[in-house]
Amino acid sequence: MTGDADEAVLRRHFVAIATADYDDPRWQPQKLPVDDEVRVMRDWLCARTLGRRRFTPLHPHLADNPTLTDISRALQNPEPHARWREADAAVVYITGHGTVADETHWSVLRRTMKGSHEGTAQRTGQLIAWFAESGIEHLLVIVDECYAEKLSADLVQQESTLPPGWLILPSAARDEEADSRALTTAISEFLKDVVARPYAYKPGPLLHVEEFVLGVQSRLGRRLHPLGSHRYGPHPCLPHPAYSDLPGDEDDEEDEEDAFGRRALMHRLIQAAAGPPQALVVTGCAGSGKSAALAQLTAHGGSYQVDAFVDAAGLSGTEVMARIFAALAIPAPGRPGGSPSPQEWLEAWADWRDSASEPVTVVVDAPDEAADPDRLLQDLLGRLEPPHTRHRRLRLIVGMRSPSGAETADSEPAAHTLADRTEALLHAERVRLDEAPYLRREDIAACVRAILLGDENSPYDEQEFQADQVALAVADAAGPSYLMARAAAGNLAARDRAVDPLDQEWRAVLTEGFVGIFRDDLLRIFPDPGDRLVAVELLRAVAYAYGRGMPRQGIWPVVANALSSRSPSHPYGDEEIAWLLASRAGAYLTKDREDGVTLYRLFHDTLREVITGHWRDLVGEAPDRQD
């Protein structure tokens, strides 16, 4: 689940504003270690291994004792090439001394004198106002200065008007001085844990805000109070270092593929992304791990590069084209403000393709879940590359679901599935995840085993034989579904005790498939039946949101109340939704944005089927909801 907002990001910027030296010695008797602090942030955000999610340092002179004029020229009136755009993402890290004067927070600069700030210090709230004027949609601001939380009071009236993709994180309380290196040390320790134990965190190429904030504050030793509306879910300004490691030597690649149990698949995908231009269609049943493998391919690089990745679920054909164009930095066709027709998209694509000197790699996942799958494939994707052209420029990798079995493109037309028609339309090679060599019991068991043994808090830690036996049992029950296997492994690793592989009660849960595992997980997250009822009814409301999702404000609580079986006297509202999102059950949801509105949907259609068809079973004998 990469988050569609991240896919549309065109450029990523990292700005550090750091002051270590002061003309007035009363600010600091010793030089502040701001270089080390900036280095921690830069090593994380600007690492080559992040691939397309790598941030580029911008205005590096601001990290070396900038003046007020330096900051203003760079951030209030930047040069045209350095101006932020709506589709950009930026991280701004501010470190040094901070002070409070005139009931507002100021960043102390080199020439700032104690007791005198006008004209020599930077009002921190003014920086936020400049950022807002740029129109940038995705922004993380970390203020690592004394009294930084005073900024919260400065912005309290503006918080509701901040763009939805913004996150502002003050490091110190409004009445406290910041400890040198404390915040960046906490961030560094958190990132090391993410790398060492990626299975302990929500998967995907981006860190989730709630996990980042909780993980950092637990190591910092004090509570953080973030500002902004993007406080849950993945954030484009929080790249996941473990997910995004580039493949190293051959042994490293084999270790990684063994851990995910997908060596044959990843090897074939990398061949397609690095080889001559062609079309490849990856198909499999629900839960076969198709989307996870394509996301993993997109996040990596080295001998290959994915130039554009689009999750087509819920999108129109022109929206898919717009995202491909944005990722490749191709100007959109048509007049400003107009909506290009499919033919205009194709003509603009052909002009660009014919002028390109190197082939490009485009990955499109879930076109079968698009707003109009047949039209997307027939009118657009199928016409991106003429089938018999001599100079091919496109490596097109398409992932979609198909029923298990031996359908082929040679079958009778009436029996063709969408996947069959796509294979024929694109003249593509097909990779079937439900068949050998891409489906192996041993691979699924290896995936489960890695999760059981990978967490030092797991009851299977240092119990390899028992983990092996349980992993094989899960693999047998999961069939071709990596989704079920990973869900079962996560459930087992979170238990207090290891289960006996022969335990009949546990095996009964497995035989119920994803329904049994999800019900057991809800019982452990929400042991109170009333809480469990609230969670299931809120999730059930989202299960009826197709396409890109359901808005939180105004729609989600209305649908939940309409579907509620208990007619609660206290209707569901934003408080209950915030509670659900903050719980571990929030991992079952993913976010999207459309026309400036945040949308929520279940992370997988299998979960939709479970909640809509078995919600009473999930709730159990829950009592009426209490006020």
Side-chain angles (χ1 to χ4, degrees):
M1 299 180 293
T2 63
D4 287 337
D6 179 59
E7 296 162 13
V9 173
L10 295 181
R11 303 182 302 172
R12 291 168 167 82
H13 313 289
F14 171 62
V15 177
I17 304 174
T19 303
D21 303 308
Y22 300 90
D23 292 343
D24 188 336
R26 292 176 293 176
W27 284 118
Q28 184 72 23
Q30 296 179 340
K31 186 173 181 176
L32 291 176
V34 298
D35 289 346
D36 294 338
E37 295 173 328
V38 171
R39 186 177 300 110
V40 168
M41 300 298 297
R42 187 176 58 241
D43 288 351
W44 165 34
L45 296 166
C46 304
R48 182 186 63 84
T49 53
L50 293 178
R52 72 183 186 89
R53 291 182 175 81
R54 179 185 185 186
F55 284 70
T56 301
L58 184 66
H59 309 308
H61 63 289
L62 298 185
D64 185 19
N65 301 306
T67 65
L68 196 60
T69 301
D70 292 335
I71 297 174
S72 175
R73 285 178 177 172
L75 300 176
Q76 182 183 20
N77 299 300
E79 295 294 325
H81 72 277
R83 290 173 185 167
W84 293 349
R85 307 168 188 167
E86 181 180 350
D88 289 358
V91 176
V92 180
Y93 175 67
I94 307 171
T95 185
H97 273 299
T99 189
V100 175
D102 298 335
E103 296 300 316
T104 191
H105 185 267
W106 299 78
S107 294
V108 177
L109 304 179
R110 181 168 189 163
R111 298 176 184 175
T112 306
M113 297 289 109
K114 279 268 189 177
S116 176
H117 51 275
E118 287 286 354
T120 61
Q122 175 65 58
R123 187 163 65 86
T124 316
Q126 183 64 63
L127 287 174
I128 305 299
W130 291 343
F131 300 154
E133 290 174 359
S134 73
I136 192 168
E137 185 175 351
H138 309 293
L139 178 68
L140 168 62
V141 180
I142 298 178
V143 185
D144 191 8
E145 295 181 329
C146 303
Y147 318 114
E149 211 169 273
K150 180 61 176 71
L151 186 62
S152 302
D154 297 343
L155 299 178
V156 66
Q157 293 183 342
Q158 303 177 38
E159 186 175 9
S160 62
T161 64
L162 295 177
W166 281 29
L167 176 65
I168 301 174
L169 192 62
S171 67
R174 68 184 65 188
D175 57 351
E176 291 181 352
E177 296 186 358
D179 295 332
S180 297
R181 292 195 181 96
L183 179 64
T184 51
T185 297
I187 291 175
S188 179
E189 291 176 351
F190 169 74
L191 295 174
K192 289 178 181 177
D193 190 57
V194 170
V195 172
R197 303 188 308 130
Y199 40 79
Y201 298 90
K202 294 173 183 176
L206 302 173
L207 297 171
H208 286 235
V209 174
E210 64 273 24
E211 289 189 334
F212 178 78
V213 172
L214 290 172
V216 171
Q217 74 180 17
S218 67
R219 292 161 176 83
L220 185 62
R222 61 171 302 273
R223 189 174 181 184
L224 296 172
H225 297 279
L227 295 167
S229 60
H230 196 150
R231 301 190 194 179
Y232 303 98
H235 197 294
C237 295
L238 297 174
H240 195 310
Y243 188 96
S244 305
D245 290 336
L246 289 170
D249 57 34
E250 186 174 343
D251 291 339
D252 289 339
E253 289 188 19
E254 289 185 358
D255 289 344
E256 180 183 71
E257 290 161 359
D258 278 343
F260 286 91
R262 306 312 298 261
R263 181 184 298 179
L265 173 60
M266 293 310 301
H267 180 69
R268 182 65 194 92
L269 291 178
I270 291 171
Q271 278 185 326
Q278 65 168 358
L280 183 75
V281 178
V282 182
T283 65
C285 66
S288 61
K290 163 190 60 67
S291 294
L294 293 180
Q296 184 180 347
L297 174 76
T298 301
H300 292 164
S303 60
Y304 72 94
Q305 175 179 324
V306 173
D307 300 288
F309 174 85
V310 179
D311 181 350
L315 301 183
S316 68
T318 54
E319 287 176 316
V320 171
M321 292 298 292
R323 297 197 179 195
I324 293 175
F325 272 52
L328 296 173
I330 307 173
R335 290 173 292 182
S339 179
S341 67
Q343 187 60 35
E344 287 176 315
W345 283 111
L346 288 171
E347 290 174 356
W349 169 263
D351 291 341
W352 179 86
R353 181 196 62 217
D354 293 343
S355 65
S357 58
E358 297 292 336
V360 296
T361 302
V362 175
V363 177
V364 180
D365 189 28
D368 52 312
E369 300 175 54
D372 190 338
D374 281 299
R375 186 172 182 182
L376 167 62
L377 291 162
Q378 189 73 38
D379 295 351
L380 292 168
L381 296 185
R383 299 172 62 188
L384 292 180
E385 185 94 273
H388 304 297
T389 184
R390 295 180 57 186
H391 303 290
R392 299 178 69 88
R393 291 288 184 268
L394 177 64
R395 304 182 191 96
L396 179 60
I397 302 175
V398 176
M400 60 200 316
R401 296 180 190 174
S402 71
S404 299
E407 312 97 348
T408 69
D410 297 327
S411 304
E412 290 297 321
H416 283 187
T417 66
L418 183 66
D420 295 327
R421 297 197 300 275
T422 302
E423 178 185 358
L425 180 67
L426 300 179
H427 299 271
E429 178 186 342
R430 186 159 172 182
V431 170
R432 299 174 184 270
L433 301 190
D434 301 325
E435 300 176 10
Y438 305 109
L439 175 62
R440 297 197 317 151
R441 172 181 183 249
E442 294 80 4
D443 287 343
I444 297 179
C447 172
V448 175
R449 184 179 187 275
I451 295 173
L452 296 179
L453 296 176
D455 187 346
E456 62 182 9
N457 296 318
S458 167
Y460 298 89
D461 187 41
E462 299 183 358
Q463 297 189 44
E464 295 191 12
F465 177 78
Q466 192 167 5
D468 287 341
Q469 299 305 305
V470 170
L472 289 172
V474 171
D476 288 337
S481 177
Y482 275 81
L483 174 70
M484 176 177 164
R486 294 181 69 88
N491 176 287
L492 292 168
R495 295 189 179 209
D496 295 330
R497 298 179 181 178
V499 300
D500 184 331
L502 300 179
D503 181 78
Q504 294 304 308
E505 182 178 349
W506 171 70
R507 283 186 170 271
V509 171
L510 281 184
T511 58
E512 292 183 80
F514 199 86
V515 174
I517 295 168
F518 184 47
R519 182 182 62 235
D520 190 78
D521 209 27
L522 288 176
L523 285 169
R524 296 177 187 281
I525 299 173
F526 306 109
D528 179 77
D531 289 343
R532 194 161 60 253
L533 174 62
V534 173
V536 169
E537 292 195 332
L538 291 175
L539 290 171
R540 185 181 174 218
V542 179
Y544 287 97
Y546 288 82
R548 299 172 70 173
M550 175 178 288
R552 173 175 175 175
Q553 301 293 334
I555 303 297
W556 188 351
V558 171
V559 175
N561 287 316
L563 293 173
S564 177
S565 63
R566 306 290 174 147
S567 301
S569 58
H570 177 63
Y572 292 124
D574 193 64
E575 181 179 351
E576 287 79 11
I577 293 174
W579 166 81
L580 176 70
L581 295 175
S583 73
R584 191 157 58 88
Y588 287 108
L589 296 165
T590 186
K591 292 200 304 184
D592 198 352
R593 287 189 61 76
E594 184 175 28
D595 298 330
V597 177
T598 301
L599 307 174
Y600 291 85
R601 65 178 185 271
L602 299 172
F603 82 95
H604 202 280
D605 273 354
T606 299
L607 186 60
R608 181 200 310 278
E609 296 164 6
V610 168
I611 292 178
T612 56
H614 302 272
W615 69 270
R616 295 182 186 275
D617 186 26
L618 298 174
V619 171
E621 296 296 325
D624 289 333
R625 188 172 152 239
Q626 301 296 315
D627 291 340

